[in-house]
Amino acid sequence: MKSARKFFVGGNWKSNGTISSVKDLVFKVLNPAPINFSKVDVVVAPMAIHIPLVQSILRPEIQIAAQNASITGQGAYTGEISPEHFKDQAVPWIILGHSERRNFYGETDQIVAGKIKRTLGAGIQVIACIGENLKERESGVTTEVITRQLSAIKNSISDWRNVVIAYEPVWAIGTGVSANPNQAQEVHAEIRKWLHANAGDVAAKTTRVIYGGSVTDANSNELIGQPDIDGFLVGGASLKPGFISIVESCA
Ligand SMILES: O=C(COP(=O)(O)O)NO
């Protein structure tokens, strides 16, 4: 039952922003926004380099996520930032398994599972991304892909209350072509069915399943009206004032 789940909206800023633009987004868009936080959890994901700055100026009701973390702990891993380091920096969420990391940086299901295990073990909550590409959608194997990706991470998760699943069809990310409400609802219902069969009744009722892929203030109202869509993981539109309208469509 959808009412058992609080809405959740994430803003994935990706590799975007400068000190000046980050300050503008926080001071002019996020901090003044009239958000009903009793209805919706809001999390923004700056670039790692900007997290301390955002922590120092962002209103406390909005939480912060990192966009990735290493599968290794601290040590001789040049350039890596471990979940333990984000924990030390008081970062409460990390986005893992994003398709851009899977496609551009070779993150396999197994690597994503290892990162989720380490991140949850460090006491940080996870936004776990899954989604099929255009070829898989057109071949009619979306369910098989989603099931494979969920099965790969299942053993990394002991407490599903610390996980939000983001269904992000790769063919909708950054294209301006969102999945339509029926397409999105169909996959969200499959994910909820998988949760019920594999993660238990509590997870099936409480784990949020959010949609990502060209969400804007023009389509968020129709999407959020679907019974198994619990919110959004917003990319490009999270860098603009319209992000607040997307959040308000959930509250
Ligand atoms: O990748 C996305 C979605 O990006 P867009 O909203 O720009 O399609 N979220 O993590």
Side-chain angles (χ1 to χ4, degrees):
M1 182 172 55
K2 190 163 178 174
S3 59
R5 300 183 295 277
K6 188 175 179 184
F7 289 117
F8 184 103
V9 177
N12 178 5
W13 299 357
K14 303 192 180 182
S15 191
N16 291 300
T18 62
I19 288 174
S20 168
S21 71
V22 164
K23 286 179 177 175
D24 279 350
L25 189 55
V26 172
F27 288 130
K28 296 176 182 172
V29 177
L30 296 172
N31 283 357
I35 297 170
N36 182 348
F37 290 103
S38 68
K39 293 276 183 69
V40 57
D41 289 330
V42 181
V43 177
V44 294
M47 292 170 63
I49 196 171
H50 292 144
I51 286 178
L53 166 61
V54 176
Q55 284 176 315
S56 70
I57 58 176
L58 182 65
R59 65 198 290 185
E61 304 95 330
I62 297 180
Q63 299 179 73
I64 289 170
Q67 297 176 17
N68 178 40
S70 64
I71 195 168
T72 49
Q74 62 180 350
Y77 307 104
T78 303
E80 289 292 85
I81 306 176
S82 73
E84 291 82 350
H85 285 111
F86 284 119
K87 184 66 177 179
D88 183 55
Q89 184 64 35
V91 175
W93 291 91
I94 299 179
I95 299 171
L96 292 169
H98 193 282
S99 60
E100 288 154 6
R101 300 222 45 94
R102 293 173 189 258
N103 297 336
F104 301 152
Y105 305 102
E107 290 197 6
T108 62
D109 288 344
Q110 289 65 39
I111 290 173
V112 173
K115 290 188 171 195
I116 289 175
K117 188 175 177 66
R118 176 173 285 280
T119 297
L120 292 171
I124 296 179
Q125 298 175 94
V126 168
I127 300 168
C129 299
I130 59 174
E132 81 286 2
N133 62 35
L134 185 60
K135 185 161 174 277
E136 292 161 339
R137 161 70 51 171
E138 289 174 343
S139 310
V141 297
T142 296
T143 300
E144 289 79 353
V145 170
I146 299 296
T147 302
R148 188 204 80 221
Q149 291 175 327
L150 287 169
S151 302
I153 65 175
K154 176 184 171 186
N155 293 336
S156 298
I157 302 168
S158 52
D159 186 345
W160 281 86
R161 288 171 298 180
N162 296 318
V163 176
V164 169
I165 294 174
Y167 166 58
E168 298 200 306
V170 180
W171 47 272
I173 295 175
T175 62
V177 180
S178 162
N180 69 44
N182 292 333
Q183 286 174 318
Q185 166 55 30
E186 188 179 25
V187 179
H188 280 239
E190 288 283 346
I191 294 168
R192 196 145 304 284
K193 200 167 80 178
W194 184 92
L195 283 169
H196 197 273
N198 295 277
D201 198 38
V202 171
K205 284 202 178 78
T206 60
T207 299
R208 275 82 63 90
V209 182
I210 62 179
Y211 168 78
S214 294
V215 174
T216 67
D217 52 357
N219 59 28
S220 59
N221 278 308
E222 212 183 349
L223 284 161
I224 203 65
Q226 297 303 312
D228 290 303
I229 297 180
D230 302 319
F232 303 111
L233 185 54
V234 184
S238 69
L239 297 165
K240 300 170 190 159
F243 178 64
I244 302 307
S245 302
I246 296 169
V247 172
E248 288 173 336
S249 70
C250 298

